[in-house]
Amino acid sequence: MRAGRPLPEELLEEDPDVVHEGAANLRKQIDNVRLHGVTPVVAVNAFPTDHDSEHQALREIAEEAGVRAAVCTHFARGGKGAVELAEAVAEVAEAPGDFRLLYPDDASLREKIETIATRVYGADGVDYDLAAARQLDAYQQGGFGRLPVCIAKTHLSISSDPTLKGAPTGWRLPVREVRASVGAGFVYPICGDMRTMPGLPMRPAVHRIDLDEHGEVVGLA
């Protein structure tokens, strides 16, 4: 299965048992929110092809984890379709909380990366390429150790490997490069084959690209 392709027909068939079997990632994400002392609400973005039994399965999974779930139909019904979610979020927001950060500012950059890798992603640890290790040392020694870290990795898995689904264990986070956005105020490790987008200028090139009267593209040079 690839992003953008239609779902296989068998995935559209009613099967609440499969929903229960495939809920490892959801359970892990609930735990991840709780790491910050916050109680999450599971929002189910309902599709016309969904089945009520599968929505009920998600409610049961959330209940087993001690949180609420809300089935949302706001895309089709507007605000009325999000009332259940709004009420659940309001109830959680009014409850006493104990919000906390994942790591203190004065933790080292390595400690911050390894905390996210092990506690949030479920990795066994972190492996740094030699270049990444040297870059980390340079940022730490240069006075940027108090900055938070933002890890650049695939969105297709909670791990750094897009083929690993659910909540995988027994893997290590590979960091091949580390960059710093000092003006924005964070350091970002780049993991695996992840690529980054170039920053755009104040006036991106798209403003000067057009079609002339002959249908030819102009303004690329």
Side-chain angles (χ1 to χ4, degrees):
M1 209 169 74
R2 291 186 180 178
R5 286 187 178 179
L7 291 173
E9 287 297 323
E10 57 268 24
L11 289 185
L12 301 179
E13 296 175 359
E14 185 172 8
D15 195 343
D17 290 339
V18 169
V19 176
H20 278 281
E21 291 170 10
N25 186 271
L26 174 58
R27 294 187 182 97
K28 175 60 176 162
Q29 300 298 354
I30 290 172
D31 289 342
N32 286 344
V33 175
R34 282 177 163 154
L35 287 175
H36 297 280
V38 176
T39 300
V41 173
V42 176
V44 181
N45 189 16
F47 284 75
T49 53
D50 291 352
H51 301 279
D52 290 341
S53 63
E54 295 175 338
H55 290 163
Q56 180 57 33
L58 288 168
R59 292 184 188 278
E60 291 169 0
I61 293 163
E63 185 177 352
E64 290 167 3
V67 300
R68 288 184 58 177
V71 177
C72 308
T73 56
H74 50 285
F75 183 82
R77 300 179 60 223
K80 291 182 179 178
V83 169
E84 182 186 7
L85 175 61
E87 291 175 346
V89 171
E91 180 181 326
V92 168
E94 292 171 0
D98 182 27
F99 176 78
R100 54 187 176 272
L101 298 175
L102 191 61
Y103 50 72
D105 287 345
D106 58 3
S108 70
L109 292 174
R110 276 184 172 79
E111 289 172 335
K112 293 171 183 177
I113 295 169
E114 288 159 16
T115 296
I116 296 173
T118 56
R119 299 189 65 191
V120 177
Y121 300 153
D124 286 348
V126 182
D127 294 326
Y128 301 97
D129 284 2
L130 180 59
R134 288 174 174 171
Q135 289 159 346
L136 267 177
D137 291 341
Y139 294 137
Q140 191 74 44
Q141 294 167 8
F144 302 123
R146 292 185 63 84
L147 294 180
V149 297
C150 179
I151 296 180
K153 72 170 193 65
T154 180
H155 65 288
L156 297 174
S157 171
I158 197 171
S159 75
S160 58
D161 182 347
T163 66
L164 296 179
K165 305 304 181 184
T169 57
W171 62 279
R172 297 180 64 84
L173 184 72
V175 176
R176 63 176 173 82
E177 184 180 354
V178 182
R179 301 177 188 173
S181 291
V182 177
F186 61 89
V187 171
Y188 60 106
I190 301 175
C191 303
D193 296 329
M194 188 69 185
R195 292 183 175 88
T196 59
M197 292 179 62
L200 294 177
M202 291 293 291
R203 185 173 176 79
V206 68
H207 288 287
R208 66 172 184 267
I209 298 173
D210 205 348
L211 295 176
D212 63 17
E213 63 273 19
H214 305 295
E216 299 292 332
V217 178
V218 295
L220 289 177

